[in-house]
Amino acid sequence: MNMRVNGEDYQAETGLTIGQLLHRLGLQAERVVLEINTNIINAADSTDTELHDGDNLEIIQFVGGG
Amino acid sequence: MINIQLNEVPFGLAEETSLYQLRTQQKPDADILILNGFPATDDCLLKDEDQIIMIKRGEIPAASQLEALMMARHTPGVHSRIAQSTVGIAGAGGLGSNIAIALARVGVGQLVIADFDLVEPSNLNRQQYFIDQIGLPKVVALKENLKRINPYVKVKIYEGKIDPQNLRKVFTAVDVMVEAFDAPEQKAMLTTAHLQQSPDCPLVAASGMAGYASSNRIQTKKIRHNLYVVGDQATAAMPGQGLMAPRVSIAAGHQANAVLRLLLGEQPE
């Protein structure tokens, strides 16, 4: 299936979950803000949710410090 | 008739009035007289457009007086708009303590500040606390410090952890929200919860300000509708790359200015 991730084309097999995608991108679900098709999703609670063809994802990663 | 400014307020005077005569009339107990930006050491005749500040050492100006002083320092129209606003700040560490102080100095009407932590000795490397405040809850110490800067800013504090369940209750009716946490999980939690629960309220978050890399890498970016992120988005706090006062306060300055711009109807980026 074809998706958009942070403005770029991303191809993956059908059934890919949010958790699997974040893992492939080297990101931790607890440290990101995830927007799928303009909806804000709680990534840490949705790691088993499957992604769909045509999904448009924006992933914002936070690093520590303040 | 000559027109001067006395303590930042327009004031009309009879011709041939001297500085000391004006003091006798207006503020006989003033022990410091500043004429056109410089301390006056001698009496002199006043002239049109002179700016005079009269101060009694140690005296705290009344709210209306301080407001006149602040208004004069701000662009017209700016002061009244920010004086009516409320800003929420989640976290009172290096970012939050600096942001709160900047916003109190510009005269934001109300601040709501939440933090669960106590002031520790190591915090003094970048956070706006004093050595005699070690052990105090940060929100209590910060409120004290803000009162010393501008006692007329309303400061509401919440001592405790913020989670998605209490977020809206703690930060009710804020015009702009600020994420000023330290841990990345807390930053992501607050940002996610805020965008889900209060999509109409702008959020200014921060990511990446550790170490001493170039100041110019710290930027304010619009990520999506109502989400702005300040920082270099890369330098995490870790062993060998600690959090230090200069970059943390630069990021805090970016965040405070983004808040100010939002309150004034401008885009922060």
Short mmCIF file of all heavy atoms in Angstrom, two decimals, chain B residues 240-268:
data_model
loop_
_atom_site.label_atom_id
_atom_site.label_comp_id
_atom_site.label_asym_id
_atom_site.label_seq_id
_atom_site.Cartn_x
_atom_site.Cartn_y
_atom_site.Cartn_z
N GLY B 240 26.81 14.03 28.84
CA GLY B 240 27.74 14.64 27.89
C GLY B 240 27.10 15.79 27.11
O GLY B 240 27.79 16.52 26.41
N GLN B 241 25.78 15.91 27.19
CA GLN B 241 25.09 17.02 26.53
C GLN B 241 23.99 17.51 27.45
O GLN B 241 22.83 17.16 27.28
CB GLN B 241 24.54 16.56 25.19
CG GLN B 241 23.91 17.67 24.37
CD GLN B 241 23.56 17.21 22.96
OE1 GLN B 241 24.32 17.42 22.03
NE2 GLN B 241 22.42 16.57 22.83
N GLY B 242 24.41 18.24 28.46
CA GLY B 242 23.46 18.68 29.49
C GLY B 242 22.67 19.89 29.05
O GLY B 242 22.92 20.48 28.01
N LEU B 243 21.71 20.23 29.90
CA LEU B 243 20.91 21.44 29.67
C LEU B 243 21.62 22.61 30.31
O LEU B 243 22.00 22.53 31.48
CB LEU B 243 19.52 21.25 30.28
CG LEU B 243 18.68 20.21 29.57
CD1 LEU B 243 17.57 19.72 30.46
CD2 LEU B 243 18.13 20.76 28.26
N MET B 244 21.83 23.67 29.55
CA MET B 244 22.59 24.81 30.06
C MET B 244 21.79 26.09 29.86
O MET B 244 21.00 26.21 28.92
CB MET B 244 23.93 24.89 29.34
CG MET B 244 24.78 23.65 29.60
SD MET B 244 26.12 23.49 28.44
CE MET B 244 27.31 24.55 29.21
N ALA B 245 22.06 27.06 30.77
CA ALA B 245 21.25 28.28 30.81
C ALA B 245 21.11 28.99 29.45
O ALA B 245 19.99 29.35 29.07
CB ALA B 245 21.80 29.24 31.86
N PRO B 246 22.20 29.19 28.70
CA PRO B 246 22.00 30.02 27.50
C PRO B 246 21.00 29.45 26.49
O PRO B 246 20.05 30.14 26.11
CB PRO B 246 23.41 30.10 26.90
CG PRO B 246 24.32 29.92 28.08
CD PRO B 246 23.62 28.91 28.94
N ARG B 247 21.19 28.21 26.07
CA ARG B 247 20.28 27.68 25.04
C ARG B 247 18.87 27.46 25.57
O ARG B 247 17.89 27.63 24.85
CB ARG B 247 20.82 26.37 24.43
CG ARG B 247 21.93 26.59 23.43
CD ARG B 247 22.30 25.29 22.73
NE ARG B 247 21.95 25.33 21.33
CZ ARG B 247 21.37 24.34 20.67
NH1 ARG B 247 21.02 23.24 21.31
NH2 ARG B 247 21.12 24.44 19.40
N VAL B 248 18.77 27.04 26.84
CA VAL B 248 17.43 26.85 27.40
C VAL B 248 16.70 28.19 27.47
O VAL B 248 15.52 28.28 27.13
CB VAL B 248 17.50 26.17 28.80
CG1 VAL B 248 16.13 26.16 29.47
CG2 VAL B 248 18.03 24.75 28.67
N SER B 249 17.42 29.25 27.84
CA SER B 249 16.72 30.54 27.91
C SER B 249 16.45 31.11 26.53
O SER B 249 15.47 31.84 26.34
CB SER B 249 17.44 31.55 28.82
OG SER B 249 18.75 31.71 28.41
N ILE B 250 17.29 30.75 25.54
CA ILE B 250 16.98 31.17 24.16
C ILE B 250 15.68 30.50 23.71
O ILE B 250 14.79 31.16 23.16
CB ILE B 250 18.14 30.82 23.20
CG1 ILE B 250 19.35 31.72 23.48
CG2 ILE B 250 17.70 30.96 21.73
CD1 ILE B 250 20.65 31.23 22.87
N ALA B 251 15.57 29.20 23.96
CA ALA B 251 14.34 28.48 23.57
C ALA B 251 13.14 29.06 24.31
O ALA B 251 12.06 29.27 23.73
CB ALA B 251 14.49 26.99 23.85
N ALA B 252 13.33 29.35 25.60
CA ALA B 252 12.23 29.94 26.40
C ALA B 252 11.84 31.30 25.83
O ALA B 252 10.65 31.64 25.76
CB ALA B 252 12.63 30.06 27.86
N GLY B 253 12.82 32.07 25.40
CA GLY B 253 12.56 33.38 24.79
C GLY B 253 11.76 33.24 23.50
O GLY B 253 10.82 34.00 23.25
N HIS B 254 12.14 32.23 22.70
CA HIS B 254 11.37 31.95 21.49
C HIS B 254 9.92 31.62 21.85
O HIS B 254 8.99 32.11 21.21
CB HIS B 254 11.94 30.72 20.76
CG HIS B 254 12.96 31.04 19.70
ND1 HIS B 254 12.65 31.04 18.37
CD2 HIS B 254 14.27 31.33 19.78
CE1 HIS B 254 13.75 31.32 17.66
NE2 HIS B 254 14.75 31.49 18.50
N GLN B 255 9.77 30.77 22.85
CA GLN B 255 8.40 30.36 23.22
C GLN B 255 7.59 31.56 23.72
O GLN B 255 6.44 31.74 23.31
CB GLN B 255 8.43 29.26 24.29
CG GLN B 255 8.82 27.90 23.74
CD GLN B 255 8.70 26.82 24.79
OE1 GLN B 255 9.55 26.73 25.67
NE2 GLN B 255 7.66 26.01 24.72
N ALA B 256 8.21 32.37 24.58
CA ALA B 256 7.49 33.54 25.12
C ALA B 256 7.12 34.50 24.00
O ALA B 256 6.01 35.06 23.98
CB ALA B 256 8.34 34.23 26.18
N ASN B 257 8.02 34.69 23.04
CA ASN B 257 7.72 35.60 21.93
C ASN B 257 6.64 35.03 21.02
O ASN B 257 5.79 35.77 20.51
CB ASN B 257 8.98 35.93 21.14
CG ASN B 257 8.78 37.12 20.21
OD1 ASN B 257 8.19 38.12 20.60
ND2 ASN B 257 9.23 37.00 18.98
N ALA B 258 6.65 33.71 20.84
CA ALA B 258 5.58 33.07 20.05
C ALA B 258 4.24 33.30 20.73
O ALA B 258 3.24 33.60 20.07
CB ALA B 258 5.86 31.58 19.88
N VAL B 259 4.22 33.17 22.06
CA VAL B 259 2.97 33.43 22.82
C VAL B 259 2.52 34.87 22.61
O VAL B 259 1.35 35.13 22.29
CB VAL B 259 3.18 33.16 24.33
CG1 VAL B 259 2.00 33.67 25.15
CG2 VAL B 259 3.43 31.68 24.59
N LEU B 260 3.45 35.79 22.76
CA LEU B 260 3.13 37.21 22.61
C LEU B 260 2.56 37.47 21.22
O LEU B 260 1.55 38.18 21.05
CB LEU B 260 4.39 38.03 22.85
CG LEU B 260 4.27 39.54 22.91
CD1 LEU B 260 3.28 39.98 23.95
CD2 LEU B 260 5.64 40.15 23.19
N ARG B 261 3.19 36.91 20.20
CA ARG B 261 2.71 37.12 18.82
C ARG B 261 1.30 36.54 18.64
O ARG B 261 0.46 37.16 18.01
CB ARG B 261 3.69 36.52 17.81
CG ARG B 261 4.98 37.35 17.69
CD ARG B 261 5.94 36.78 16.66
NE ARG B 261 5.42 36.81 15.30
CZ ARG B 261 5.41 37.87 14.50
NH1 ARG B 261 5.88 39.03 14.94
NH2 ARG B 261 4.92 37.80 13.28
N LEU B 262 1.08 35.37 19.20
CA LEU B 262 -0.26 34.77 19.08
C LEU B 262 -1.31 35.65 19.77
O LEU B 262 -2.40 35.85 19.24
CB LEU B 262 -0.26 33.36 19.68
CG LEU B 262 0.45 32.30 18.82
CD1 LEU B 262 0.79 31.06 19.64
CD2 LEU B 262 -0.42 31.91 17.62
N LEU B 263 -0.96 36.16 20.96
CA LEU B 263 -1.92 37.01 21.69
C LEU B 263 -2.23 38.28 20.90
O LEU B 263 -3.31 38.84 21.01
CB LEU B 263 -1.36 37.39 23.07
CG LEU B 263 -1.20 36.25 24.08
CD1 LEU B 263 -0.56 36.77 25.36
CD2 LEU B 263 -2.54 35.59 24.39
N LEU B 264 -1.28 38.71 20.08
CA LEU B 264 -1.47 39.94 19.30
C LEU B 264 -1.96 39.66 17.89
O LEU B 264 -1.96 40.53 17.03
CB LEU B 264 -0.17 40.75 19.28
CG LEU B 264 0.28 41.25 20.65
CD1 LEU B 264 1.68 41.84 20.59
CD2 LEU B 264 -0.70 42.29 21.20
N GLY B 265 -2.34 38.39 17.65
CA GLY B 265 -2.92 38.05 16.35
C GLY B 265 -1.91 37.87 15.23
O GLY B 265 -2.26 37.94 14.05
N GLU B 266 -0.64 37.66 15.59
CA GLU B 266 0.40 37.46 14.57
C GLU B 266 0.80 36.00 14.50
O GLU B 266 0.70 35.28 15.50
CB GLU B 266 1.67 38.26 14.94
CG GLU B 266 1.45 39.73 15.17
CD GLU B 266 1.52 40.55 13.90
OE1 GLU B 266 1.92 40.00 12.85
OE2 GLU B 266 1.15 41.73 13.96
N GLN B 267 1.29 35.57 13.37
CA GLN B 267 1.84 34.22 13.25
C GLN B 267 3.22 34.19 13.90
O GLN B 267 4.04 35.06 13.63
CB GLN B 267 1.95 33.82 11.77
CG GLN B 267 0.67 33.28 11.18
CD GLN B 267 0.20 32.00 11.89
OE1 GLN B 267 0.98 31.07 12.09
NE2 GLN B 267 -1.06 31.97 12.26
N PRO B 268 3.50 33.17 14.73
CA PRO B 268 4.79 33.14 15.43
C PRO B 268 5.99 32.87 14.53
O PRO B 268 7.09 33.27 14.84
CB PRO B 268 4.65 31.99 16.43
CG PRO B 268 3.19 31.75 16.54
CD PRO B 268 2.59 32.13 15.22
#
